[in-house]
Amino acid sequence: MLFKKIAIAAAVATTLAFVGCAKKTEEAAPNTEAAASQVEAAASAVEATADAAASQVEATADAAASTIEAAASTVDAAATSVAK
C-alpha cells in the first residue's frame, strides 16, 4: 500500500514537472524570437561598423601611400641636387 502511494506521488510529480517544462518552453519561444531579432539587428550594426572601418582604413592607407610617394620624390630631388 505504501509503495502504491509512493508510485502515485512520483507519477504526479513527474507529470507536473513535465507540464511545467512544457509551459516554460512555450513561454520561451517568443523570447527566443525576440532574442534572434536582437541578434540580427546587432549583426547588421556590426557589419555596418566594419564596412565604415574598412573604408576609413582604406582612405588612411591611400593618404599614407601619397605621403610616402611625396617623401620619395623629395628625397630623389634632394639626391639629384646634391649630386650636381
Side-chain angles (χ1 to χ4, degrees):
M1 185 75 166
L2 181 62
F3 180 72
K4 186 177 179 181
K5 287 182 180 181
I6 292 173
I8 291 172
V12 170
T14 303
T15 303
L16 291 175
F18 182 74
V19 170
C21 289
K23 274 187 156 183
K24 287 181 183 176
T25 303
E26 289 172 4
E27 291 173 2
N31 293 339
T32 303
E33 291 173 9
S37 178
Q38 289 176 348
V39 166
E40 188 175 314
S44 295
V46 166
E47 184 177 357
T49 302
D51 288 345
S55 296
Q56 183 77 23
V57 167
E58 186 176 344
T60 303
D62 289 344
S66 296
T67 302
I68 290 170
E69 286 176 14
S73 295
T74 302
V75 168
D76 286 343
T80 303
S81 176
V82 170
K84 288 183 181 181

